Amino acid sequence: MHLTPLLEQYQQIKNKYKDTLLLFRVGDFYEFYYDDAKKASLLLGITLTSKTIGKGAKVPLAGIPVKASENYIAKLIKNGLKVAICEQLENPDKAKKLVERDVIEVITPGTIFRPSLLDENKALFVASCVPDENIVGIALCDITTGDFSCGEIEPGQLLEILTRKEVKEVILPQGITLKLDIPITAIDGYRFIYEIAYQQLKEHFNVIALDGFGIEGKKLAISSAGALLYYLKENQKSTLPQITKLNYFDAHKAVYLDSATRKNLELVINIRNEETKTLYWAIDNCLTPAGKRMLRNQILEPLIDCNTINERLDGVTELKDREFLRKQVREFLKNIRDVERITTRLMCGRIMPREMNVLKDSLKVYPEIKSILLNCDSPILKKIYNQIDNFDIVVQKIENAISPEPPATLDETGIIRPGHSKELDELREIALNSKEWLNRFQTQERKKTGISSLKVAYNTIFGYYIEVSKANLHLIPDYYIRKQTLVNAERFYTPELKEFEEKILGAEEKIKNLEYEIFIKLREEIAREGNKILNSTKAVSLLDILQSFAENAVLYNYTRPEVNEGDKIIIAEGRHPVVERLMEKGSFIPNDTEMDRNRNQILIITGPNMAGKSTYLRQVALIVLMAQIGSFVPAKEAKIGIVDKIFTRIGASDDISRGVSTFLAEMMETANILNNVSEKSLVILDEVGRGTSTYDGLALAWAVVEELHNNKKPRALFATHFHELTKIEDFLGGVKNYNFLVKEWGDEIIFLRKINPGPSDQSYGIQVARLAGLPKSVIERAKEVLTKFEEGEVFSIRKLKKTKLSQPDLFVDKK
Ligand SMILES: Nc1ncnc2c1ncn2[C@@H]1O[C@H](COP(=O)(O)OP(=O)(O)O)[C@@H](O)[C@H]1O
Ligand SMILES: [Mg+2]
């Protein structure tokens, strides 16, 4: 089949971007052809038509207007697709033959650069991995901030790290597969060869060896970093100047939280996969986008180092106590926009005129923040002070060059401020005066010819012309030169008009070029400061986190935890930071906690449904976690012996989202805890063993508690409905029983939500069922059956025959 030149060009480009959906610019539209058209039409709900490719033959076609393309692109990316944007590289009006086109950008789920498609609160990581027998090389990069790191991890850690970093795309050597929910891109395995990758990195960082980055000898880390850099450069069509450092990624520097734990504790997404009512939701009081991202990442990777934590707590204390300082810091931070991402765009040459002003307005605030931190006492605030640079010169340069209200893109004029360039001002003067000149010219020609309807106008194809209607043609003078014939009129020009046209069109072209030139020069000058800006912004982000903690402490009555290397977790009047916020102020009932690796190593917590067990368990874990990111905590007092890992398991029926073989999954996860737990860990088990029959479940729960007690001895909280499990306290010295009391008040059950020492000796399930509206007769009968069970009678129809019950009610006031 013979293709039209346009489709031939399309084919050539598409061949280079086979695994993408190609957006092919034709005039004001992006067009999709062939299978891409079908896919796009299906995903975007746009009409599928066809385009003629030769004599009578057609190919499928779909299209989207360029102006409305962002939303469509966002949708494609959300669906895990890769999108290549192919633009017209020359002005179609001027192109002699077929307009030259090429791909200027590839957007994949992990490599998005357009501000409109990015989530301000979240990092955007793309990872590359290369597995060996017992280790995996991993590299991570966020092109929107320039964060780049690599490391070597155990295979078992891979999934945890990918989810903890919220990685959006994974690069693998061709032929290697991984079972992941994250989009995968396979690239030539050649890129992962150590020597090739090493070379790639050396060239990028312009160094002779990688010693400076502390990764020398880490072959797999280097392989994955080099391959990732190669992929990003190809895909971004950029030298990636924003990537100026390669950090060694140490998986053991943060508290280990597996994905089940992140989800169970509802850290950044809740159990229903929503981004609300999470810990992040409750404690994010940051004011800058980069601060918000840093906090989110911090919650997913809490600190382990006691000194770092206490240094932060000192800073928070100072900000909390000095109200005026805090208020000032907050006022200034409010004026800072996403400097981190804008600076990255600056460094890559993608910054737009308006962003330049946003950058300027934000950087203006830096010295003001610096000045208010000048007389702070806490070392961390001093450090922040020292790390923030002054950008007066940058601010001045932008201020002098850029219009106060510049256009959004570089295609338009009006970017440069009047008075900045004499040449530009003169050209603008000419352009401005042209309107007047044209008016004058029109009046003059009307007078000369006596044609009152004569019009002088402009269009892009024919330029300036004089239009005379057919009826008046006999009046035109002989120096009018014909340009174009219409149905009712003729268009002419004169040497005078031609001369004007050359001058004015020249001026406009020159204005555009000159503005562009000035902008690029400014961009390059400021980009040299990019690294410094990013560094300062890191400090500002940390300040933002600390002020957020301080502000929360005031707003929600949080207190400073004492964080140490000991083994105790002592909390007085602790509250759940999220649940308390969803309730009326003051109605959440605080509870105490005392744990250590001695007599209070494992707390077994019993009580009826709805009593508050799960909330309590999570509250303890969240308070520990908050303390370890340097935050104050919702409690009257808290002493936290640092934990290195937090594990949580939630029994089957509390976790609706899981599949059929829940019990199996539960046991596998429990096994995983028992295998990975250390002396410093915190374990939360909520109704584990629920997914099976009572005896199996109880036996397993019993064995798990024994193992935790006798082996690594992590601190653990175990909520259970097997109240037989409470007997284990008699056998194991480190186990303590607690229960949640419930009171009966007439026909109602009152949940006291208060934890008490000792086991709860009864199951209150039946009473709760009554609350739920089960008929009285059913409730009575259930009580009867229960008594039989508890007397140890075997299930037999004869024994369960209805008898008159004189059993006292299960709910007796214990006091
Ligand atoms: N300390 C508390 N103060 C006030 N309300 C609470 C408290 N703890 C729990 N609740 C409320 O009780 C409900 C049930 O708590 P939950 O912890 O799920 O109970 P359980 O796990 O024992 O079934 C929660 O949704 C919450 O609204
Ligand atoms: Mg529960």
Side-chain angles (χ1 to χ4, degrees):
M1 175 59 63
H2 197 72
L3 296 175
T4 60
L6 183 85
L7 274 166
E8 214 162 89
Q9 184 187 39
Y10 172 84
Q11 273 304 356
Q12 268 171 18
I13 296 173
K14 176 73 189 178
N15 282 343
K16 286 192 279 176
Y17 296 92
K18 281 201 182 98
D19 61 341
T20 68
L21 205 73
L22 187 64
L23 271 72
F24 194 71
R25 176 81 179 254
V26 180
D28 293 332
F29 280 82
Y30 287 123
E31 297 192 342
F32 306 97
Y33 308 131
Y34 302 98
D35 280 349
D36 279 6
K38 292 180 193 162
K39 243 192 239 171
S41 131
L42 204 69
L43 280 170
L44 302 175
I46 54 175
T47 323
L48 186 66
T49 59
S50 56
K51 191 171 191 110
T52 308
I53 53 164
K55 290 185 199 95
K58 290 176 169 191
V59 301
L61 161 81
I64 52 174
V66 172
K67 280 219 166 84
S69 62
E70 295 280 287
N71 284 340
Y72 287 118
I73 295 172
K75 208 163 178 184
L76 295 171
I77 303 294
K78 278 222 178 75
N79 275 289
L81 289 176
K82 294 165 195 152
V83 170
I85 314 273
C86 174
E87 288 292 348
Q88 298 174 160
L89 297 184
E90 48 187 349
N91 189 334
D93 300 340
K94 289 183 189 144
K96 297 265 159 25
K97 293 178 289 179
L98 188 61
V99 182
E100 201 188 321
R101 290 183 174 84
D102 207 349
V103 169
I104 55 139
E105 184 181 10
V106 179
I107 309 175
T108 69
T111 59
I112 302 172
F113 226 109
R114 300 178 177 217
S116 59
L117 301 184
L118 281 169
D119 187 336
E120 245 188 15
N121 297 344
K122 291 185 201 157
L124 179 81
F125 279 110
V126 51
S128 76
C129 315
V130 54
D132 201 359
E133 260 161 52
N134 297 315
I135 48 173
V136 177
I138 183 170
L140 293 150
C141 184
D142 180 343
I143 55 161
T144 69
T145 60
D147 269 0
F148 188 32
S149 59
C150 67
E152 293 179 352
I153 56 173
E154 293 144 32
Q157 290 177 304
L158 180 61
L159 191 63
E160 301 308 333
I161 289 166
L162 294 178
T163 46
R164 167 170 116 200
K165 290 283 183 187
E166 303 185 274
V167 167
K168 295 290 184 304
E169 182 181 358
V170 177
I171 313 302
L172 292 174
Q174 217 124 43
I176 288 186
T177 48
L178 257 181
K179 245 186 86 195
L180 289 176
D181 280 342
I182 310 167
I184 290 177
T185 304
I187 66 168
D188 195 343
Y190 170 79
R191 296 289 161 190
F192 284 87
I193 294 174
Y194 172 68
E195 286 75 17
I196 306 296
Y198 194 97
Q199 192 61 25
Q200 177 84 35
L201 294 171
K202 256 177 28 182
E203 272 167 29
H204 177 83
F205 293 111
N206 199 13
V207 289
I208 35 173
L210 299 175
D211 301 314
F213 299 115
I215 54 166
E216 199 65 63
K218 306 267 182 206
K219 286 198 164 186
L220 287 181
I222 290 168
S223 291
S224 35
L228 182 56
L229 197 62
Y230 164 80
Y231 167 75
L232 291 172
K233 283 189 168 174
E234 277 298 295
N235 160 301
Q236 289 293 298
K237 316 228 158 278
S238 156
T239 57
L240 299 179
Q242 75 268 42
I243 298 177
T244 57
K245 274 197 301 266
L246 175 56
N247 298 311
Y248 184 65
F249 172 80
D250 183 356
H252 300 289
K253 246 174 32 196
V255 175
Y256 178 89
L257 304 163
D258 56 19
S259 50
T261 300
R262 280 190 301 266
K263 198 167 171 195
N264 291 335
L265 294 180
E266 308 192 291
L267 297 183
V268 297
I269 47 171
N270 70 18
I271 213 98
R272 269 170 243 93
N273 271 326
E274 302 152 336
E275 304 214 354
T276 175
K277 298 174 189 170
T278 61
L279 179 67
Y280 181 58
W281 166 84
I283 68 169
D284 171 27
N285 223 324
C286 290
L287 297 162
T288 70
K292 284 173 187 288
R293 289 195 292 271
M294 195 187 254
L295 174 62
R296 190 183 171 95
N297 177 57
Q298 190 68 82
I299 288 175
L300 295 170
E301 299 183 345
L303 303 165
I304 283 183
D305 182 60
C306 195
N307 292 332
T308 316
I309 295 168
N310 279 312
E311 191 185 42
R312 283 196 184 182
L313 288 169
D314 288 340
V316 177
T317 306
E318 183 166 3
L319 284 161
K320 180 186 172 241
D321 293 346
R322 295 176 58 186
E323 188 183 347
F324 184 65
L325 170 70
R326 187 177 72 251
K327 290 238 158 82
Q328 269 186 310
V329 167
R330 283 181 65 81
E331 272 318 304
F332 286 130
L333 287 176
K334 272 181 199 154
N335 296 317
I336 296 178
R337 297 327 314 149
D338 203 343
V339 177
E340 198 174 36
R341 281 188 171 156
I342 294 178
T343 304
T344 313
R345 293 167 59 73
L346 164 77
M347 293 167 91
C348 298
R350 290 198 182 207
I351 192 169
M352 290 297 150
R354 274 184 202 158
E355 291 176 311
M356 204 61 119
N357 277 354
V358 175
L359 179 65
K360 174 197 72 181
D361 292 336
S362 298
L363 290 179
K364 258 188 198 166
V365 186
Y366 284 29
E368 306 195 67
I369 290 186
K370 217 174 145 75
S371 74
I372 54 169
L373 292 182
L374 179 61
N375 49 18
C376 281
D377 297 323
S378 43
I380 194 164
L381 296 181
K382 285 203 166 103
K383 267 190 216 164
I384 291 172
Y385 170 86
N386 285 324
Q387 206 184 319
I388 300 176
D389 265 305
N390 188 316
F391 297 101
D392 283 353
I393 296 172
V394 172
V395 168
Q396 208 51 55
K397 275 186 180 159
I398 300 178
E399 186 98 47
N400 289 344
I402 307 289
S403 300
E405 279 172 32
T409 69
L410 288 173
D411 300 332
E412 295 153 84
T413 54
I415 301 170
I416 305 302
R417 183 189 276 276
H420 179 71
S421 148
K422 205 161 169 228
E423 191 186 351
L424 185 60
D425 287 348
E426 278 169 12
L427 289 164
R428 280 176 174 161
E429 192 67 25
I430 294 171
L432 197 70
N433 289 338
S434 67
K435 260 215 159 75
E436 269 168 48
W437 188 92
L438 279 174
N439 277 336
R440 239 185 300 122
F441 181 71
Q442 182 170 286
T443 321
Q444 166 200 313
E445 291 307 303
R446 279 183 185 171
K447 241 189 222 152
K448 271 194 196 162
T449 57
I451 308 169
S452 60
S453 64
L454 175 145
K455 237 178 25 187
V456 181
Y458 171 82
N459 77 27
T460 42
I461 296 162
F462 291 96
Y464 289 93
Y465 55 82
I466 304 166
E467 191 173 296
V468 179
S469 63
K470 286 255 156 83
N472 290 318
L473 280 182
H474 62 283
L475 294 171
I476 58 159
D478 53 4
Y479 61 87
Y480 272 32
I481 306 159
R482 190 176 314 259
K483 210 170 190 180
Q484 188 190 7
T485 305
L486 304 178
V487 185
N488 295 316
E490 295 268 324
R491 287 173 175 176
F492 304 90
Y493 66 96
T494 69
E496 196 184 356
L497 186 60
K498 184 89 197 153
E499 193 186 315
F500 164 80
E501 179 180 278
E502 270 158 21
K503 204 167 101 189
I504 177 74
L505 289 185
E508 260 155 21
E509 179 96 20
K510 273 187 208 151
I511 289 173
K512 219 172 159 176
N513 291 342
L514 194 55
E515 288 211 56
Y516 186 78
E517 237 170 67
I518 297 172
F519 185 81
I520 300 302
K521 198 167 144 258
L522 176 75
R523 189 176 77 190
E524 280 167 2
E525 266 174 43
I526 298 175
R528 275 182 231 127
E529 300 292 307
N531 244 323
K532 247 165 88 183
I533 300 177
L534 288 178
N535 249 328
S536 296
T537 306
K538 280 262 180 294
V540 171
S541 305
L542 182 58
L543 177 66
D544 197 9
I545 292 190
L546 299 180
Q547 72 72 21
S548 170
F549 292 162
E551 182 77 3
N552 289 339
V554 176
L555 288 177
Y556 313 122
N557 200 15
Y558 292 171
T559 49
R560 177 175 181 157
E562 184 190 312
V563 178
N564 57 43
E565 300 279 6
D567 68 340
K568 292 190 170 53
I569 294 175
I570 296 179
I571 300 167
E573 300 188 13
R575 285 128 43 208
H576 189 297
V578 183
V579 175
E580 86 162 333
R581 292 272 291 285
L582 298 171
M583 298 174 62
E584 209 173 300
K585 213 175 166 169
S587 53
F588 187 89
I589 295 154
N591 276 304
D592 300 343
T593 307
E594 184 178 351
M595 301 182 81
D596 52 42
R597 292 189 58 231
N598 215 327
R599 309 280 309 163
N600 303 294
Q601 185 216 333
I602 301 173
L603 312 186
I604 293 182
I605 297 154
T606 43
N609 269 333
M610 289 297 288
K613 301 184 298 298
S614 300
T615 309
Y616 179 74
L617 259 48
R618 287 172 173 80
Q619 156 187 325
V620 174
L622 289 174
I623 288 175
V624 169
L625 189 146
M626 285 171 79
Q628 289 192 232
I629 59 177
S631 166
F632 282 23
V633 297
K636 193 167 158 227
E637 228 180 301
K639 292 198 179 90
I640 309 294
I642 286 177
V643 311
D644 66 343
K645 306 175 188 181
I646 302 176
F647 293 99
T648 63
R649 282 305 169 270
I650 308 293
S653 64
D654 265 20
D655 184 356
I656 353 150
S657 62
R658 291 201 291 201
V660 198
S661 64
T662 47
F663 178 68
L664 182 65
E666 206 177 300
M667 284 303 118
M668 277 162 60
E669 289 173 355
T670 310
N672 171 51
I673 294 182
L674 297 177
N675 291 332
N676 290 299
V677 75
S678 88
E679 292 83 2
K680 298 197 78 151
S681 305
L682 177 65
V683 179
I684 306 273
L685 299 170
D686 193 351
E687 311 253 11
V688 167
R690 204 178 202 179
T692 184
S693 76
T694 310
Y695 292 116
D696 281 4
L698 175 60
L700 283 161
W702 190 287
V704 167
V705 172
E706 276 184 354
E707 170 72 12
L708 290 172
H709 183 269
N710 298 335
N711 201 344
K712 289 277 170 46
K713 287 187 167 294
R715 289 153 290 182
L717 291 150
F718 197 150
T720 180
H721 65 292
F722 300 125
H723 54 98
E724 297 89 337
L725 188 60
T726 57
K727 303 242 160 45
I728 204 168
E729 193 188 37
D730 302 338
F731 303 94
L732 305 175
V735 174
K736 274 262 168 73
N737 284 319
Y738 285 91
N739 71 86
F740 274 90
L741 269 189
V742 179
K743 251 191 181 177
E744 202 176 25
W745 187 269
D747 242 8
E748 268 178 80
I749 289 174
I750 300 176
F751 294 106
L752 299 176
R753 305 246 150 80
K754 204 71 187 166
I755 195 162
N756 299 280
S760 75
D761 47 0
Q762 306 285 6
S763 162
Y764 299 80
I766 294 174
Q767 260 66 17
V768 176
R770 186 182 64 198
L771 256 196
L774 229 58
K776 207 169 166 157
S777 55
V778 176
I779 299 290
E780 288 305 318
R781 177 61 181 149
K783 282 185 187 171
E784 222 175 273
V785 175
L786 180 68
T787 324
K788 296 281 171 206
F789 280 155
E790 285 181 349
E791 283 165 1
E793 290 190 22
V794 201
F795 191 87
S796 95
I797 306 233
R798 191 178 51 82
K799 289 226 170 114
L800 282 175
K801 276 218 178 107
K802 284 205 176 188
T803 47
K804 192 103 180 84
L805 255 178
S806 59
Q807 174 86 15
D809 203 281
L810 291 171
F811 288 90
V812 279
D813 198 339
K814 293 238 158 70
K815 277 182 212 157

